[in-house]
Amino acid sequence: MTDQISRPGTQPSQNDNSQSQIPEDLAVEIRKLAHDLSNALEIIVQTSYLLSTTEMKEPASDWLRMLDGGVQKALDLNISLRNYIKAHSPT
């Protein structure tokens, strides 16, 4: 059975945690990548916020709404990834 990353709003079950652990050296590298991803997403989130404070004409305002939706999905996925890593990594 393959492990799957939990969807936003869900937590991995205890059974998932006991079935498969990420090896410690790999977990460290994955944590670093997840941290770097969080930093990159923070730039996108802040830029999206700053753009939302300006007046935009159509179609730019539509594009900003699309960007905001993508930003939220990326943040949710990043949280799920971090939760998965935490649940499946040695302490």
Side-chain angles (χ1 to χ4, degrees), residues 38-88:
S38 292
N39 288 342
L41 285 173
E42 185 62 26
I43 294 166
I44 297 166
V45 167
Q46 292 302 320
T47 302
S48 176
Y49 169 75
L50 291 172
L51 284 172
S52 74
T53 65
T54 64
E55 276 191 48
M56 292 189 174
K57 296 180 182 177
E58 298 298 329
S61 59
D62 290 334
W63 298 338
L64 180 59
R65 280 190 291 277
M66 288 173 34
L67 175 64
D68 286 340
V71 165
Q72 190 57 54
K73 286 179 186 178
L75 290 172
D76 291 344
L77 288 168
N78 191 47
I79 290 169
S80 294
L81 175 62
R82 293 173 71 93
N83 288 339
Y84 183 87
I85 294 166
K86 185 177 181 181
H88 291 84

Side-chain angles (χ1 to χ4, degrees), residues 28-38 78 81:
V28 168
E29 187 61 30
I30 293 171
R31 279 191 202 107
K32 287 179 188 176
L33 292 170
H35 178 79
D36 290 345
L37 176 60
S38 292
N78 191 47
L81 175 62

